Amino acid sequence: MDCRDLTALAAARLAGEAGETERRELSAHLATCESCRAEMARTESVWTALGEDADAPVTPEFRRRTLALLEEEMLRSRVRAFRPRTRFARPLAQAAALAAAGSLGWLLARGAGPVPSAANARPAAASTAAARPAASASRSGISPVAAVTAPTDLGTNPRLSNIAYEPPGADGKVAVAFDVTTRRTVSGRPEEPEVANLLAYLVSHNAETAGEKSRAIQLVSEHYGAGLAAPSPEIVAALTNTLKKDANPGVRKKAADALASLTMTPEIRAAFLDSLRSDKNPAVRLVAVDALAAAAKQSPDASTIESLRAKAVDPQENGFVRAKAASALKAISF
Amino acid sequence: MTELEDAGLLERVRRGDTDGAAELFERYAPSLLRFCDRMLSDRASAEEVTQEVFVKVISRAHQYDGRAGVASWLFAIAANACRDRRRRDRRANVVPLDGIAEPRAKGEGIESTLVHAERRRAVREALAELSEEQREALVLARYHGMPYAEIASTLGISVGAVKTRIFRAVETLKARFSEGERSWTAAT
């Protein structure tokens, strides 16, 4: 064995990858080579030091969120399996849907008594997603007209959510109810009300995962940060609300970063003071310290200085936050 | 759990069995989350990417061909997802701050918490200094006890390349810890 092979062999031994022969060669070499013994000790110490890094645990909240997401994805994947398989299925489905709608319109216009079964007119390829016949619709209180809504075009792979299944009734027919979401594009300048309201809505309501929410906040930050455009009160409210209430610390920090990029207002200051006082995550509190300190340098205010002072001497506070608050105070002239 | 049982679990996911997906999550979420956490150095991003991995598994379960083990296949998806996330974060100039978001253990004093956080941060910084390729190989070997052949299959490289990456990673870490030996010793 050559001294140059020491690190590779030592790592292989520590990783349980060294074979019997290699282990024997290594031991024999170490017995006679002092510098390699020192290198072996250093390699072992690195391997041990890496063990200082604690494992990230799966928290109950992460488990709950992920399992809910997976359940929804499983439902979506099941529905996707009903997609028409042949190139003839889609035109047939469309023709059948038109025929059903036409027949129904004709019967309604004539004031005919019983509404024909939607199932009779539904396309074969979309049979599993078709509506229940009129009798069932009446039973569930849905108007017959609503029950025979034109079938969804599954060929476009729409996103289906809020899915509910009904088992077969006396007629042997099942029902699958769902919401269909469609993609829309809203374009305009960030300060235009329609765009601003949409962004505020995305931040505060409509993100399914922490990643989507973070991206919405990032978008807001890019548009309104550094004074590029004045954020609407709805956007400021959405961000302060996220900073205050979101369960995910990464999202809260993202909201704090976005707020820090905006011009300081009394609402934003109040949100940061609240966050500095009560946010459980030190990374979020650090952003609050930075933002409050930057604003206080321009225009010192009593509540900011008092909060920073309290943090600088709080023995229960994270050391980094404590140090940051102390150095921020030094930089403020008051 | 054997490889055969893992494959059976994946088959259940492919058939749309929600309980199968939940079992797969219980089985692999802890290790995938740990892997993503070490690759991204940010807990929140690691959780998001781990979620993405399981969503991808559901949509790609039918693509699993059994050539690699299920664990290798899952870690390969996770490694790719982490690379994508890091690329995106680099573009957005995101700086992870997870090193200071150390949760405090019950009954642990502030000084002890800070020392522990400091040690963890030193390891994280050292890992972050490695190239992405070196870190992937080292993390799989050191923290997941994965054999070199399986790492090779997961990362789509040769066993020789795995050995080289781990060798270089250990050399870099030795140099790093030698430079900061005093502060490391003080922290430990």
Side-chain angles (χ1 to χ4, degrees):
Chain A
M1 179 198 143
D2 196 292
C3 293
R4 283 174 302 184
D5 301 330
L6 188 275
T7 301
L9 266 178
R13 194 178 88 174
L14 291 165
E17 281 287 314
E20 181 60 35
T21 316
E22 284 171 316
R23 283 204 303 274
R24 245 199 324 265
E25 275 182 27
L26 181 62
S27 299
H29 182 79
L30 290 176
T32 58
C33 180
E34 195 180 336
S35 66
C36 278
R37 275 202 299 278
E39 276 307 301
M40 183 73 208
R42 285 177 68 209
T43 309
E44 281 172 343
S45 117
V46 163
W47 204 258
T48 307
L50 289 172
E52 293 287 340
D53 189 26
D55 287 338
V58 172
T59 61
E61 170 60 16
F62 172 61
R63 174 180 281 110
R64 188 193 62 73
R65 274 188 289 121
T66 311
L67 288 177
L69 179 72
L70 295 185
E71 192 171 351
E72 191 191 323
E73 284 300 319
M74 292 296 281
L75 285 172
R76 281 182 62 198
S77 70
R78 276 187 222 160
V79 173
R80 274 203 294 270
F82 298 148
R83 282 168 64 184
R85 296 288 177 199
T86 71
R87 63 198 173 99
F88 305 109
R90 190 171 161 186
L92 281 175
Q94 287 167 339
L98 278 174
S103 307
L104 177 67
W106 183 76
L107 282 169
L108 286 175
R110 287 189 62 198
V115 177
S117 161
N120 292 339
R122 77 191 180 208
S127 61
T128 44
R132 193 173 269 274
S136 307
S138 309
R139 191 179 65 202
S140 58
I142 306 168
S143 80
V145 176
V148 290
T149 308
T152 303
D153 181 3
L154 297 178
T156 59
N157 195 18
R159 186 186 171 103
L160 307 182
S161 57
N162 199 18
I163 300 160
Y165 300 90
E166 270 190 45
D171 53 7
K173 288 167 183 163
V174 299
V176 183
F178 50 84
D179 298 334
V180 184
T181 54
T182 52
R183 186 164 191 80
R184 295 191 184 165
T185 305
V186 173
S187 62
R189 297 185 62 78
E191 60 273 25
E192 286 172 15
E194 195 181 3
V195 178
N197 289 340
L198 181 60
L199 290 174
Y201 183 77
L202 285 171
V203 171
S204 51
H205 299 293
N206 205 37
E208 286 182 354
T209 67
E212 285 179 12
K213 195 158 196 172
S214 292
R215 278 191 286 282
I217 294 171
Q218 179 79 24
L219 201 68
V220 166
S221 182
E222 281 166 11
H223 284 314
Y224 302 103
L228 293 177
S232 68
E234 288 80 12
I235 283 182
V236 172
L239 288 172
T240 52
N241 208 33
T242 302
L243 174 61
K244 196 171 179 180
K245 293 184 180 164
D246 199 283
N248 186 311
V251 173
R252 292 202 304 278
K253 183 178 170 298
K254 205 92 178 176
D257 285 334
L259 284 168
S261 71
L262 305 179
T263 307
M264 185 63 83
T265 63
E267 294 79 28
I268 297 176
R269 180 181 289 109
F272 275 132
L273 285 171
D274 186 45
S275 168
L276 181 58
R277 201 165 36 242
S278 56
D279 198 292
K280 287 179 185 163
N281 189 288
V284 179
R285 298 201 297 278
L286 268 184
V287 179
V289 169
D290 276 337
L292 288 167
K297 265 194 228 171
Q298 307 294 324
S299 154
D301 76 286
S303 53
T304 296
I305 290 164
E306 191 44 51
S307 294
L308 291 175
R309 189 175 281 145
K311 283 290 161 186
V313 296
D314 180 358
Q316 296 303 311
E317 182 52 272
N318 175 293
F320 295 95
V321 179
R322 214 168 46 196
K324 194 93 175 175
S327 74
L329 278 171
K330 279 184 203 158
I332 301 170
S333 326
F334 54 92
Chain B
M1 186 178 272
T2 65
E3 186 56 45
L4 205 60
E5 286 170 314
D6 269 355
L9 213 47
L10 207 55
E11 172 58 22
R12 284 171 61 193
V13 173
R14 200 187 62 74
R15 288 200 311 262
D17 178 352
T18 308
D19 290 342
E23 276 184 49
L24 195 72
F25 173 85
E26 298 297 349
R27 164 101 174 115
Y28 282 106
S31 51
L32 290 172
L33 179 66
R34 292 202 309 268
F35 175 75
C36 294
D37 184 43
R38 289 195 170 98
M39 290 309 297
L40 300 169
S41 297
D42 183 68
R43 185 73 52 86
S45 300
E47 288 191 353
E48 284 169 28
V49 171
T50 306
Q51 280 186 343
E52 280 172 29
V53 169
F54 280 101
V55 169
K56 280 180 184 164
V57 166
I58 289 172
S59 62
R60 295 182 190 172
H62 64 283
Q63 291 174 2
Y64 175 70
D65 57 11
R67 274 185 298 179
V70 171
S72 290
W73 188 66
L74 293 174
F75 275 102
I77 294 175
N80 281 328
C82 287
R83 278 179 224 144
D84 288 347
R85 170 55 66 100
R86 283 169 61 84
R87 212 169 298 134
R88 216 163 54 209
D89 284 353
R90 269 198 296 271
R91 278 203 300 266
N93 204 20
V94 174
V95 181
L97 266 174
D98 199 49
I100 51 172
E102 180 74 19
R104 191 176 297 165
K106 272 184 189 166
E108 202 177 0
I110 183 74
E111 295 309 322
S112 148
T113 302
L114 286 174
V115 167
H116 181 70
E118 190 61 35
R119 275 156 40 181
R120 184 175 183 230
R121 205 160 68 99
V123 173
R124 280 294 161 110
E125 281 175 4
L127 282 174
E129 211 170 76
L130 303 176
S131 72
E132 203 161 61
E133 289 80 12
Q134 289 172 15
R135 196 173 346 154
E136 284 170 349
L138 183 72
V139 166
L140 290 174
R142 173 63 181 85
Y143 296 102
H144 298 271
M146 206 181 260
Y148 284 5
E150 199 177 335
I151 297 174
S153 153
T154 299
L155 301 178
I157 55 177
S158 66
V159 172
V162 173
K163 285 182 187 170
T164 305
R165 288 180 186 185
I166 291 178
F167 162 75
R168 289 196 178 136
V170 172
E171 284 291 311
T172 306
L173 293 175
K174 278 201 296 195
R176 160 107 193 182
F177 286 150
S178 296
E179 276 170 23
E181 200 156 10
R182 196 173 299 169
S183 60
W184 174 258
T185 312
T188 52

